Amino acid sequence: MIRLCAALAVALVSISVTAMAADYPAPQDGEWIAKDFKFHTGEIMPELRLHYTTVGAPTGQPVLVLHGSGGSAASMLTPSFAGELYGPGQPLDASKYYIIIPDGIGHGKSSKPSDVMRTSFPKYDYDDMVDAQYRLVTEGLGIKHLRLVIGNSMGGMHTWVWGVRYPQMMDVLVPMASQPTAMAARNWILRRMMLETIRNDPDYNNGNYTSQPRMMKYAVAAYRFASAGGTLGYQTLAPSAAQADKMVDDQLALPVTSDANDYVYQWEASHDYDPSAGMEKIEAVLLAINAADDERNPAETGVTEAAVKRIKNGKIYLVPASTETRGHLTTGDAKFYAKQLQELLQTAPQRTM
């Protein structure tokens, strides 16, 4: 991924890239091979590598934590997320829970286009990614039931898909920074424009590039500034042209650290996302957490509220917008909803594990 500069990362996301000195058990890495994995296109990969990270002992209640687009398990091990959730007495106390954080298909250390196949890699979508997670959890780790599935951004959309595709698999669902409706409107328009900018860069050469396309960093920066950060957040951080220019200059000075094909696949995977028809299938207690200033999932459309009304045990918690929130990035900071999550886990019925 193109890295945010240190100042911007602190200002916009309030997280760092690693967990630092965390007050919970050291994360453990693992890898499992899904044999003969079938994609929604009908293509079959003989061996699909699935990397994952766990926190806590396997004897704890299993919890599945799902990262966002372009991220990996490391994205969910930051001080502002893991540091607020995984420690003693916190909502996902790792002495009680067995926390499982997969690298999604095409992300992190799991199988991805840049390994060898480039654009010959099967086109995956969110259903494929969730099916791979399901196989990892059930076949790879031997887990029959999850206490909780929680995800942020893309991981939030995956959480909705989990509830529809595998409704008996979990007690609780917490999709964050997401909507259970078709990928459309400004969210897809901006994604499409970002992808078209990368693909139409002559350097991209239909995915057969020898160096990362030069326009990629401009496309990614434009998308991020347009779709995350929060109106009040940016006004607080860049109240003058000079401060705004510095934010842009700092972002564009960063090197490209992700592979273009990987990146295109990661974002294109959202194109056919639409779990809306399956809301009545959801059996788990569900709490949808969104930020009121989320640019990609604007609360004022009412689409999430309408969908949640169709769920037997569904509620919404909307984090109020403020100078402290950061739009779509807000839910990366668990301090905004740790109390609500803890209360949910204390009261939600527990089915057979």
Side-chain angles (χ1 to χ4, degrees), residues 298-321:
E300 59 266 30
T301 64
V303 296
T304 300
E305 184 179 4
V308 170
K309 287 179 179 178
R310 296 162 49 204
I311 300 170
K312 183 178 180 180
N313 293 303
K315 293 182 180 179
I316 299 173
Y317 175 63
L318 198 63
V319 180

Side-chain angles (χ1 to χ4, degrees), residues 165-233:
R165 290 178 79 80
Y166 303 105
Q168 297 183 331
M169 188 65 193
M170 75 295 292
D171 295 330
V172 181
L173 289 165
V174 179
M176 303 189 296
S178 59
Q179 296 179 157
T181 53
M183 175 58 64
R186 179 171 59 187
N187 197 350
W188 178 249
I189 290 169
L190 289 173
R191 290 169 188 245
R192 171 74 187 278
M193 288 303 300
M194 175 175 64
L195 296 174
E196 290 296 334
T197 302
I198 296 170
R199 285 198 184 102
N200 283 280
D201 183 340
D203 293 347
Y204 184 66
N205 192 28
N206 295 317
N208 298 308
Y209 44 84
T210 55
S211 61
Q212 298 303 321
R214 285 169 289 182
M215 290 303 297
M216 182 173 167
K217 68 177 179 179
Y218 299 98
V220 174
Y223 176 75
R224 289 186 183 166
F225 283 129
S227 70
T231 300
L232 296 177

Side-chain angles (χ1 to χ4, degrees), residues 143-337:
I143 292 170
K144 297 180 180 179
H145 192 80
L146 296 162
R147 175 58 177 161
L148 166 71
V149 179
I150 181 172
N152 193 40
S153 192
M154 177 184 74
M157 290 186 271
H158 287 179
T159 301
W160 288 108
V161 175
W162 264 91
V164 172
R165 290 178 79 80
Y166 303 105
Q168 297 183 331
M169 188 65 193
M170 75 295 292
D171 295 330
V172 181
L173 289 165
V174 179
M176 303 189 296
S178 59
Q179 296 179 157
T181 53
M183 175 58 64
R186 179 171 59 187
N187 197 350
W188 178 249
I189 290 169
L190 289 173
R191 290 169 188 245
R192 171 74 187 278
M193 288 303 300
M194 175 175 64
L195 296 174
E196 290 296 334
T197 302
I198 296 170
R199 285 198 184 102
N200 283 280
D201 183 340
D203 293 347
Y204 184 66
N205 192 28
N206 295 317
N208 298 308
Y209 44 84
T210 55
S211 61
Q212 298 303 321
R214 285 169 289 182
M215 290 303 297
M216 182 173 167
K217 68 177 179 179
Y218 299 98
V220 174
Y223 176 75
R224 289 186 183 166
F225 283 129
S227 70
T231 300
L232 296 177
Y234 277 129
Q235 185 62 37
T236 301
L237 298 171
S240 71
Q243 289 166 300
D245 280 338
K246 187 177 187 307
M247 290 183 74
V248 174
D249 291 341
D250 288 346
Q251 176 67 39
L252 295 180
L254 296 172
V256 174
T257 59
S258 63
D259 177 80
N261 282 328
D262 288 349
Y263 200 84
V264 168
Y265 269 69
Q266 289 163 1
W267 292 86
E268 186 112 72
S270 67
H271 188 214
D272 65 354
Y273 168 76
D274 184 6
S276 61
M279 294 298 98
E280 288 81 5
K281 295 179 181 178
I282 294 175
E283 298 181 15
V285 174
L286 182 144
L287 178 65
I289 301 176
N290 283 340
D293 55 354
D294 187 334
E295 301 87 346
R296 303 180 198 178
N297 305 289
E300 59 266 30
T301 64
V303 296
T304 300
E305 184 179 4
V308 170
K309 287 179 179 178
R310 296 162 49 204
I311 300 170
K312 183 178 180 180
N313 293 303
K315 293 182 180 179
I316 299 173
Y317 175 63
L318 198 63
V319 180
S322 72
T323 56
E324 298 298 314
T325 57
R326 296 294 180 258
H328 185 69
L329 305 177
T330 298
T331 45
D333 192 338
K335 72 181 180 184
F336 290 110
Y337 51 83

Side-chain angles (χ1 to χ4, degrees), residues 13-33:
V13 196
S14 301
I15 62 176
S16 69
V17 180
T18 57
M20 303 292 185
D23 191 18
Y24 54 82
Q28 303 294 317
D29 286 343
E31 188 175 288
W32 182 71
I33 303 296

